[in-house]
Amino acid sequence: MFQSFDDTATPEAGPARLAALRGALQDEGLAGFLVPRADAHQGEYVAERDARLAWLTGFTGSAGFCIALQEIAGIFVDGRYRVQVKAQVDTDHFTPVDWPETKPADWIRTQLPEGGAVGFDPWLYTAEQIETLEQGLKGSGITLRPTANLIDGIWPDQPEPPQGQISSYPVEFAGRDHESKRAEMARELREAGHRAAIITLPDSIAWALNIRGSDIPRNPVPHAFAILQDTGHLTLFVDAAKLDDTLRAHLGGEVLTRPVNAFAPALRSLTGPVRLDKSWVPVWVVQQLDEAGVARAWGDEPPILPKACKNDAEIAATREAHLRDGAALCEFLAWFDAQAPGTITEIDVVTRLEQCRRASGKLLDISFDTIAGSGPHGALAHYRVTHKSNRTLENGDLLVLDGGGQYLDGTTDITRTLPVGDVGAEESAAFTRVLQGMIAISRLRWPGGLAGRDLDAIARYPLWLADQDYNHGTGHGVGVHLCVHEGPQRLSRISHVPFKPGMIVSNEPGYYREGAFGIRIENLVVVTEAEPLPGGDQTGKLCFETLNWVPIDRRLIEAEMLTAAERGWLNDYHARCREKIAPRLGEDAANWLMRATAAL
């Protein structure tokens, strides 16, 4: 199994570790210390060595941070984790704080009225994060002080850094060789008047060099840093143990590999202006350049937008990955529907689904730990089942099943909400509203230039009419055999990045009632140019092409709530599921698919 069911949260250890951290604060003359859920590459998923937030607090969610002061330690989490955090931390010692509603600077100002110095590790915070925090603290008498990581100093058995092997990525799936990618990025640097650019995002490096890594479970990326010159030459700072002769041959003569400890001297020797991405670059990098007097300029990492806008080969590859994954999920669903309520558990669900994905012979990993939340667990948007939390699926439950696979030709992600036996009318009505929002995004056409903030509300409109909503974005970007959460594109009210053809994003509205049930329906979609409509008077519209082809459970739909257009979309979607997936299924699953996709 790729997925384990061990309970890694250790809330009972939190008080002693917090006391040790406060001792370190006193030794350093600090009033507090910032503990993010991040590594030097700002990855959402971190290696065991970098799981400092979980080690200190017990909280294992994929987003959040702690501000530890001498008298109070706030643990900041967004709407996805507000139930989970209460179960995973000792709330007598760690105080959950609603974020982003509560701004960190405002909270620190309230808790430190006399001022003081708050420490942070400059490797783990970006220039933008610290700039925002300093602006919020202006005039308070509170300062931010870069320091060595105090958690590392009190963590006696901290794991070593990962040493995963790096391999080349086939050009048939990448669509372009890395020589042409580097040449294009270098040309863009020259046009902007920049002599070099710093690249710290692992998926940016992986995309730019057509490589994949194995430092982080679920995400096939390498831990490394890179300097791209305006000539197209690139220096990759990486542990030599991760490379072999085949990989070195793939990189070629214009890519120089150096050890990570050579990164600082290389930064200090650059000729500027050097481009830095304020959203991602560690403060430590800025410090090196500033101390050496190297001119710098803010701008996007050169791979960010080209990586997001998939080419034809990448889109074709990911279509095939989704068809393969869809067949696996349909095989699972046929099995699931044959199980009586009360006979299987959440772990049984996760295990069986992974077996179905593995049966293709092409699954390299899961793209994230499968979410299989039944009943009240479904209200935890990012629930991860453990041996301790495992629950039997009972009659009347809803099951939120969210998972995906890492295949060489694509990264998949899909959510279906499934009934266990007979489900109540209130749950079905909420499910139908979520479905209406998902259909609205699927059918959407919009003029170029709009961003996630402009489209997000469309998915929420049916829920808003019933005074319902969900505390997460409607969609995140997705890579092609890269990270399942990829920027810069998002279908979210906080995203200002315009959608462009080739961008892949999830379409996943939901509804969650704490202690009762959860609902989410998700397909991945790719931005494409829309065909003109007869009688229309505008061109240049964009639309979404659906990538996932797995039935949406008709037993939960209140058909009378759907409009004729919504019903037509669903029937057409199900007809295409039959067309695309049935030839890939065994007899039992094919028969199940025919029943599951019958027209409303």
Side-chain angles (χ1 to χ4, degrees):
M1 286 288 294
F2 287 120
Q3 185 159 334
S4 76
F5 306 105
D6 297 331
D7 190 349
T8 58
T10 54
E12 69 282 354
R17 292 169 178 175
L18 180 59
L21 176 58
R22 285 173 169 156
L25 289 177
Q26 189 169 358
D27 293 342
E28 295 291 330
L30 294 170
F33 189 68
L34 308 180
V35 185
R37 209 276 188 180
D39 58 22
H41 310 274
Q42 292 301 309
E44 178 179 3
Y45 298 93
V46 298
E48 291 183 7
R49 175 183 180 80
D50 297 309
R52 298 175 181 88
L53 181 65
W55 181 84
L56 175 68
T57 68
F59 173 65
T60 62
S62 64
F65 55 93
C66 177
I67 303 178
L69 309 179
Q70 285 291 1
E71 301 300 327
I72 186 172
I75 181 162
F76 291 67
V77 294
D78 63 30
R80 297 170 294 174
Y81 294 115
R82 287 172 189 164
V83 177
Q84 177 177 328
V85 73
K86 297 172 191 174
Q88 288 192 320
V89 308
D90 184 333
T91 53
D92 290 335
H93 292 80
F94 296 94
T95 302
V97 181
D98 289 350
W99 169 73
E101 295 87 343
T102 299
K103 304 299 182 187
D106 294 341
W107 187 86
I108 294 173
R109 293 176 77 116
T110 299
Q111 302 300 331
L112 292 177
E114 304 301 319
V118 177
F120 71 96
D121 183 342
W123 272 110
L124 304 186
Y125 275 87
T126 69
E128 184 174 66
Q129 288 171 330
I130 293 304
E131 179 183 282
T132 299
L133 198 48
E134 286 178 334
Q135 287 291 329
L137 294 173
K138 188 172 290 186
S140 67
I142 301 168
T143 59
L144 299 179
R145 182 193 302 173
T147 183
N149 197 296
L150 300 188
I151 298 296
D152 296 356
I154 62 172
W155 189 350
D157 56 349
Q158 185 178 22
E160 292 297 316
Q163 295 290 325
Q165 284 296 118
I166 299 175
S167 59
S168 61
Y169 189 64
V171 71
E172 66 181 289
F173 299 141
R176 299 173 59 190
D177 58 42
H178 69 86
E179 291 85 357
S180 69
K181 291 180 179 181
R182 287 187 287 105
E184 180 180 304
M185 292 186 292
R187 182 169 58 253
E188 194 267 330
L189 286 178
R190 293 193 299 271
E191 291 172 354
H194 300 157
R195 298 293 304 276
I198 310 303
I199 307 175
T200 61
L201 286 174
D203 62 331
S204 287
I205 293 172
W207 179 88
L209 294 176
N210 284 355
I211 60 176
R212 296 297 186 265
S214 53
D215 284 326
I216 303 294
R218 320 292 180 247
N219 294 272
V221 295
H223 275 177
F225 302 98
I227 299 176
L228 174 67
Q229 305 285 348
D230 65 353
T231 60
H233 289 76
L234 183 144
T235 305
L236 183 67
F237 299 90
V238 63
D239 194 306
K242 299 180 183 182
L243 311 176
D244 60 19
D245 290 342
T246 301
L247 195 281
R248 292 179 188 277
H250 163 78
L251 294 176
E254 292 187 347
V255 177
L256 176 67
T257 59
R258 301 283 304 281
V260 175
N261 61 15
F263 190 35
L267 290 170
R268 290 171 173 268
S269 67
L270 289 174
T271 300
V274 175
R275 181 187 297 186
L276 303 175
D277 193 323
K278 185 185 291 189
S279 299
W280 305 112
V281 70
V283 169
W284 180 89
V285 172
V286 182
Q287 290 175 326
Q288 305 307 307
L289 296 175
D290 287 353
E291 289 172 8
V294 179
R296 53 182 171 82
W298 299 125
D300 290 341
E301 281 196 355
I304 285 286
L305 196 57
K307 169 171 59 72
C309 298
K310 278 57 177 180
N311 59 45
D312 290 345
E314 290 173 307
I315 293 172
T318 203
R319 285 193 190 111
E320 175 59 28
H322 281 82
L323 291 173
R324 182 186 311 118
D325 196 71
L329 194 55
C330 286
E331 293 282 358
F332 164 83
L333 291 172
W335 170 86
F336 178 82
D337 273 2
Q339 312 307 309
T343 62
I344 59 173
T345 69
E346 294 167 336
I347 288 180
D348 293 331
V349 166
V350 174
T351 301
R352 181 72 179 205
L353 180 54
E354 185 170 318
Q355 290 171 348
C356 291
R357 285 192 161 111
R358 282 179 175 272
S360 70
K362 296 192 175 183
L363 183 71
L364 303 179
D365 198 345
I366 50 177
S367 56
F368 56 97
D369 281 349
T370 300
I371 299 164
S374 65
H377 290 165
L380 306 174
H382 281 196
Y383 170 72
R384 174 184 171 272
V385 60
T386 67
H387 292 296
K388 182 178 179 180
S389 71
N390 190 29
R391 183 178 181 277
T392 299
L393 278 58
E394 302 290 355
N395 185 59
D397 284 346
L398 290 179
L399 173 70
V400 177
L401 182 62
D402 185 354
Q406 286 285 8
Y407 305 95
L408 192 61
D409 50 1
T411 300
T412 70
D413 184 5
I414 184 170
T415 308
R416 291 294 182 264
T417 300
L418 310 173
V420 182
D422 299 319
V423 174
E426 190 170 10
E427 288 91 331
S428 293
F431 178 91
T432 307
R433 294 184 193 104
V434 171
L435 174 61
Q436 288 176 303
M438 183 261 201
I439 292 174
I441 294 295
S442 302
R443 298 179 60 221
L444 193 60
R445 298 167 60 93
W446 70 93
L450 298 189
R453 64 178 180 181
D454 304 307
L455 308 185
D456 178 83
I458 293 170
R460 301 176 190 270
Y461 176 66
L463 286 162
W464 285 352
L465 291 178
D467 283 343
Q468 297 175 340
D469 205 349
Y470 48 97
N471 278 324
H472 57 73
T474 301
H476 55 84
V478 181
V480 174
H481 193 47
L482 281 172
C483 299
V484 75
H485 288 174
E486 177 185 273
Q489 73 277 16
R490 296 172 66 184
L491 189 50
S492 164
R493 65 184 69 179
I494 64 172
S495 177
H496 298 257
V497 177
F499 286 120
K500 295 181 179 296
M503 288 181 169
I504 297 174
V505 68
S506 65
N507 171 15
E508 51 179 313
Y511 177 67
Y512 311 90
R513 184 167 295 175
E514 183 175 347
F517 63 87
I519 298 164
R520 186 163 63 252
I521 309 171
E522 174 190 18
N523 280 340
L524 299 191
V525 293
V526 58
V527 180
T528 187
E529 295 179 358
E531 292 291 332
L533 294 177
D537 55 8
Q538 289 186 332
T539 58
K541 292 285 183 65
L542 299 175
C543 65
F544 289 124
E545 172 196 334
T546 296
L547 294 172
N548 301 89
W549 300 101
V550 175
I552 296 163
D553 206 298
R554 296 161 58 256
R555 294 167 294 185
L556 288 170
I557 299 172
E558 297 288 347
E560 67 277 4
M561 292 174 59
L562 299 180
T563 66
E566 290 166 343
R567 187 189 299 250
W569 182 91
L570 186 66
N571 286 339
D572 179 68
Y573 176 75
H574 280 160
R576 298 180 72 186
C577 287
R578 288 194 302 273
E579 173 191 340
K580 293 175 178 290
I581 301 297
R584 297 169 178 259
L585 300 178
E587 183 178 356
D588 290 345
N591 291 335
W592 172 88
L593 181 63
M594 294 300 294
R595 296 190 299 271
T597 57
L600 282 181

